[in-house]
Amino acid sequence: MTPDNRMKWEEAGEGPAVVLLHAFPLDHAMWRPQLANLGDVCRLIVPDLPGFGGSAGFDGPPALERMADEVAALLDALGLREPVVLGGLSMGGYVALAFARKYPGRLRGLVLADTRAEADTAEGRANRDKLIAFAESHTALDVVDQMMPKLVGSVTLAARPAVVEEIRRIAAAQSPAGVVGALRAMRDRPDSTPVLADVRVPTLVITGTDDKLIPLATAEALAARIPLATLATIADAGHLSNLEAPERFNAALRSFLAALG
Ligand code: MLT
């Protein structure tokens, strides 16, 4: 826990710092396959974003920029003054882009997995409002069960029951207040598209080829707009590609880190 008791994180390994930010409605535990595998090439740090896992909720109105501020405060608490590799999956990617906008000098690389730069559309915001109303009177497990058909790919739904159960287990531990706060923050997030051309660090865009929430074309457009980006596609994986096909996800991350030097 950080000294101010705001942010909890887990870490593994030694070497250059790599920070990975989790998806909604999960916590740092979704990075277990990466914590178990990547410690020989980096110091992998995986925090719980505000309101999730063991971290405190928002101080004021929920906003992804506040999440990015908490990540910056965590780096300070860990004494990480040198630029780091920062990555995020889906909601974690929204936060990573908010961080890139506000703290560009603290980055040496960016990993954007199964995420998008655009803000919610009007229809997307209306759907958020419906999910907020649902989440206010249901558990986080109910929320994730409702999302599950789109949260993982078809192969995972049909043939990887242990992965689906792991996702349900992590979601079941989340508080309704954390879930609702994150939904509000995502609904109100600004468009990060204008930031992309200014990203000056090598960037890895990763996407599951069967991501039902972020179409492949969206990931391709994201990579095309960032000057130093490469795109890695993960076969037989959906939105939670790091959990669904960890070997391929880890391999993509390893070769990105090796190229960064
Ligand atoms: C996530 O996986 O973090 C969420 O699906 C992102 C979103 O709802 O926009």
Side-chain angles (χ1 to χ4, degrees):
M1 201 79 181
T2 45
D4 60 1
N5 277 334
R6 292 203 57 76
M7 201 166 225
K8 188 180 167 222
W9 81 96
E10 218 176 281
E11 66 173 88
E14 282 171 25
V18 176
V19 181
L20 294 178
L21 307 177
H22 62 80
F24 171 91
L26 305 177
D27 66 21
H28 76 274
M30 71 166 259
W31 298 113
R32 289 247 158 79
Q34 285 66 50
L35 283 170
N37 180 269
L38 296 169
D40 60 325
V41 288
C42 64
R43 177 183 178 190
L44 182 59
I45 298 162
V46 292
D48 288 334
L49 290 168
F52 291 95
S55 289
F58 289 103
D59 248 349
L64 295 179
E65 195 184 325
R66 293 285 85 75
M67 289 192 176
D69 292 340
E70 296 284 355
V71 173
L74 172 65
L75 298 184
D76 291 343
L78 293 173
L80 291 168
R81 304 275 166 205
E82 296 298 312
V84 301
V85 174
L86 178 67
L89 192 143
S90 198
M91 177 180 75
Y94 307 159
V95 179
L97 283 170
F99 188 99
R101 178 166 49 237
K102 197 159 178 189
Y103 306 102
R106 301 195 76 165
L107 290 177
R108 67 183 277 263
L110 196 57
V111 179
L112 299 172
D114 299 281
T115 194
R116 63 168 79 241
E118 295 81 11
D120 277 2
T121 59
E123 188 193 349
R125 279 199 292 278
N127 287 334
R128 291 275 186 220
D129 286 335
K130 281 190 204 142
L131 194 53
I132 288 169
F134 181 82
E136 280 170 341
S137 54
H138 292 78
T139 65
L141 184 57
D142 294 329
V143 171
V144 90
D145 279 342
Q146 195 180 97
M147 295 171 71
M148 197 62 82
K150 290 189 171 171
L151 209 47
V152 294
S154 307
V155 172
T156 301
L157 259 191
R160 297 179 183 128
V163 172
V164 172
E165 272 318 301
E166 173 71 351
I167 294 163
R168 297 184 77 240
R169 193 190 60 74
I170 300 170
Q174 309 310 319
S175 73
V179 167
V180 169
L183 285 169
R184 293 206 174 107
M186 290 193 286
R187 177 195 62 194
D188 299 337
R189 74 186 188 280
D191 181 12
S192 287
T193 311
V195 180
L196 302 179
D198 295 329
V199 173
R200 289 284 170 254
V201 293
T203 299
L204 174 65
V205 176
I206 309 186
T207 193
T209 52
D210 191 25
D211 189 330
K212 298 176 196 308
L213 291 173
I214 312 280
L216 185 54
T218 302
E220 285 169 346
L222 178 61
R225 288 191 172 116
I226 300 175
L228 297 176
T230 51
L231 175 68
T233 55
I234 311 289
D236 292 335
H239 188 61
L240 294 177
S241 58
N242 75 301
L243 280 166
E244 296 181 61
E247 298 84 7
R248 284 190 282 274
F249 189 97
N250 291 345
L253 210 46
R254 273 176 182 275
S255 61
F256 176 69
L257 296 175
L260 261 187

